[in-house]
Amino acid sequence: MTKHFEAGSYSRRIFFHTLLCLLSATLLLLIFPKFNFTFLAPFALAPLLYVMAATRNGWQRFVYGWGAGIFYWFFLCAWIQFVLEVHGGMGRWGGWGAFLLFCILKALHLAVFSALAGPLMRTMFAVPAIAGLWTGLERTHGTFGFAWLALGNAGIDMGIPLRLAPFLGVYGLSFLFATFGAAIACVLLRYRRRYLAWLAAAPLIFFLPAIPQQTPATDRALVVQPNIDPETQWTSLSQLRAEEDLARLSSVLSAPLVIWPELPAPLYFYSDPDFHAMATQIARQHGNFLFETVAFTPDKQPLNSAVMLRSDGSEVGRYDQINLVPFGEFVPPLFSWVNRITKETSDFVPGRDVKVFPAAGHRLAVFICYESAFPDLVRQSSKAGADVLINLSNDGYFGHTEAREQHLLLARMRAVENRRFVIRSTNDGITAVIGPAGRIESKLPPYRQVAATLPYGAVAETTFYARHGDWFAWTCLALGVGLAAFNMVRSRSAK
């Protein structure tokens, strides 16, 4: 009878803890597009951390976190399945299979965090240690695969927390929200008040300078949104028509800078004489012309590149995309059986260096598509002297999903971290100019073929984050993992 009672109690506890872990995953989902309940960000980790503190077995914590992570990535990035099925030509079951494997692998980050967080939650330094561990592991997402939305991105419209971004990047906001999540868990666990003493440092944020809300936008760029169907079957005739449409849209208005987005159309500036002549003519007509093209390394490997031309048609410079899109521009080794979205005969290869283009009276730098998810890459352009940032993207592969808003959210945080205007030019939306405070200053209607002159400005001052990078996030990783390891060794020694 006693054994039966204990088994039933254990089963109920497992069920209750599983629900709490899934609650944390749900709260993390709700703070991002399509829901945008950002006020939940400080609470999101609390249920998970409550469970981790109450669970003594490390492998059990790992499984709890892994399950919550699979749930989170499945619903956050369901659009990946759509991309693989529709644009990757994998069919429904092939798309779902590849996507589920992706979720299982991505969830390992949350599994590792959960396994290490349990012992830390039972220490006096639980609050800062948990926040550091979360922030540090978050920094490794791009290093070990796929980077997307950091917890701190939820704070893009929170004036006070956002003050951290120009100093610590998005990871400063992640640390803050994780701090409150850990503190709330301590309250739920009825820990003594001294466990919360670390919160006394939080008001120091008020002493950081406010994000400047008004920055003059004295320049204009002609931004072209061609709305090209990503499933277009490219022939010589369809290629010619697309280029003619682009040239027409580029001629309806005039501006010192013309920007084309990343396109599904295969443009070959260096090997197609007709397109080369067209691009040169557009530059001569306006002044400066920025566009995306396929370039090649000396050994004929393709590069996804952005080229800037002068008013005489000569080349200012070329930026080769450094962080390529998984499945879109290359296939990760574990997914060699998955189709690439790009129609190139082989994977794109990454570029090596950021580039700054002296053009249109400013120093412009480009980051392409998925690179908006990499704070350290974008800030290097500001550090190198860029006073305006330009994001070229083709979000047509996302369909009409929340991925578009998620992608825009990343670019907005990059604007605040660097205190720069970001001109975001896309194939079919969301095309916009983002101000240095992260606000949308102007926007074109999505899913329409349109060209417009959009106002933007330049900022010469370089932020602390742009100059010094992710030292805070890496320090958090070292301290968080170090404290977790020290605490585990000490616990075993005490036994």
Side-chain angles (χ1 to χ4, degrees):
M1 186 73 175
T2 302
K3 289 183 178 179
H4 177 74
F5 177 79
E6 290 178 349
S9 177
Y10 179 76
S11 298
R12 286 194 296 271
R13 185 166 68 251
I14 292 291
F15 178 73
F16 177 63
H17 284 177
T18 300
L19 288 181
L20 286 178
C21 292
L22 293 179
L23 175 60
S24 266
T26 301
L27 292 174
L28 288 170
L29 287 169
L30 291 175
I31 66 178
F32 295 126
K34 54 186 175 185
F35 303 103
N36 290 313
F37 297 144
T38 55
F39 66 91
L40 295 173
F43 305 92
L45 295 180
L48 177 73
L49 293 173
Y50 176 93
V51 174
M52 296 308 106
T55 305
R56 297 286 174 171
N57 185 283
W59 283 110
Q60 196 171 19
R61 293 194 301 271
F62 185 92
V63 172
Y64 278 139
W66 203 1
I70 292 171
F71 181 93
Y72 170 72
W73 286 105
F74 181 89
F75 287 101
L76 181 75
C77 293
W79 47 267
I80 292 179
Q81 188 280 330
F82 167 82
V83 172
L84 294 174
E85 177 183 344
V86 176
H87 301 297
M90 297 188 66
R92 175 167 297 182
W93 297 114
W96 278 116
F99 175 57
L100 287 173
L101 179 58
F102 162 83
C103 294
I104 290 169
L105 294 176
K106 277 306 302 173
L108 289 172
H109 272 89
L110 190 53
V112 171
F113 169 78
S114 300
L116 297 178
L120 289 177
M121 278 299 298
R122 295 187 287 271
T123 66
M124 279 292 300
F125 47 82
V127 171
I130 290 292
L133 180 65
W134 175 272
T135 303
L137 289 175
E138 200 174 60
R139 177 59 181 83
T140 68
H141 277 274
T143 306
F144 296 112
F146 181 75
W148 199 235
L149 291 170
L151 176 61
N153 283 111
I156 190 64
D157 293 314
M158 300 180 186
I160 303 302
L162 196 59
R163 295 182 183 189
L164 289 165
F167 293 91
L168 305 178
V170 67
Y171 303 111
L173 283 83
S174 293
F175 184 90
L176 180 67
F177 294 150
T179 294
F180 282 109
I184 293 168
C186 289
V187 172
L188 295 174
L189 290 161
R190 300 182 180 180
Y191 285 176
R192 295 179 180 178
R193 291 181 182 179
R194 65 173 181 267
Y195 282 78
L196 305 178
W198 304 95
L199 294 179
L204 294 175
I205 299 174
F206 288 91
F207 293 95
L208 294 175
I211 303 294
Q213 297 298 309
Q214 300 295 330
T215 305
T218 57
D219 298 278
R220 302 187 78 84
L222 173 57
V223 181
V224 174
Q225 181 179 283
N227 195 31
I228 297 174
D229 183 354
E231 282 300 289
T232 299
Q233 299 300 309
W234 294 107
T235 64
S236 57
L237 180 58
S238 62
Q239 180 79 15
L240 177 61
R241 287 177 177 172
E243 292 176 1
E244 288 176 346
D245 283 344
L246 285 160
R248 176 181 55 81
L249 288 167
S250 304
S251 301
V252 294
L253 297 167
S254 181
L257 174 64
V258 179
I259 303 174
W260 285 7
E262 183 183 36
L263 297 167
L267 303 179
Y268 296 92
F269 177 70
Y270 297 102
S271 57
D272 182 345
D274 292 334
F275 177 66
H276 190 284
M278 176 187 294
T280 301
Q281 178 58 35
I282 292 172
R284 288 172 176 165
Q285 178 183 350
H286 291 277
N288 285 106
F289 179 31
L290 177 67
F291 59 95
E292 182 259 358
T293 186
V294 178
F296 293 91
T297 65
D299 55 352
K300 305 302 181 183
Q301 293 179 295
L303 297 156
N304 193 35
S305 304
V307 173
M308 178 73 79
L309 301 182
R310 296 185 181 88
S311 58
D312 63 359
S314 63
E315 188 174 326
V316 178
R318 187 184 83 204
Y319 169 69
D320 304 321
Q321 185 177 357
I322 295 171
N323 290 105
L324 300 169
V325 183
F327 309 114
E329 291 150 350
F330 80 103
V331 176
L334 285 175
F335 294 83
S336 57
W337 45 279
V338 175
N339 296 333
R340 277 180 294 105
I341 308 305
T342 176
K343 306 305 180 187
E344 289 299 313
T345 56
S346 64
D347 285 351
F348 283 96
V349 295
R352 296 182 178 179
D353 304 305
V354 299
K355 298 290 176 63
V356 177
F357 304 135
H362 297 295
R363 293 176 59 81
L364 312 178
V366 179
F367 57 102
I368 299 175
C369 191
Y370 172 59
E371 292 184 320
S372 58
F374 293 84
D376 185 65
L377 174 67
V378 178
R379 70 98 191 166
Q380 290 180 45
S381 295
S382 296
K383 183 180 179 181
D387 53 18
V388 180
L389 300 175
I390 301 174
N391 178 213
L392 307 182
S393 188
N394 173 25
D395 290 358
Y397 293 115
F398 293 152
H400 290 211
T401 68
E402 63 273 14
R404 294 173 182 268
E405 290 287 348
Q406 293 174 2
H407 206 186
L408 177 65
L409 179 57
L410 294 169
R412 291 179 64 194
M413 186 59 73
R414 303 296 84 82
V416 180
E417 290 168 341
N418 295 278
R419 202 189 164 205
R420 292 290 184 271
F421 277 90
V422 174
I423 306 173
R424 189 169 190 268
S425 177
T426 72
N427 171 39
D428 63 352
I430 301 168
T431 298
V433 173
I434 306 166
R439 298 184 306 184
I440 306 298
E441 302 293 340
S442 54
K443 183 168 65 172
L444 299 185
Y447 316 119
R448 286 177 53 187
Q449 187 181 84
V450 62
T453 56
L454 301 181
Y456 71 95
V459 179
E461 178 187 358
T462 306
T463 65
F464 184 90
Y465 176 72
R467 293 193 301 272
H468 301 287
D470 290 332
W471 64 272
F472 176 74
W474 289 123
T475 301
C476 283
L477 179 64
L479 291 177
V481 173
L483 286 171
F486 171 77
N487 195 57
M488 290 172 66
V489 171
R490 188 179 64 175
S491 297
R492 289 179 180 177
S493 299
K495 293 180 182 179

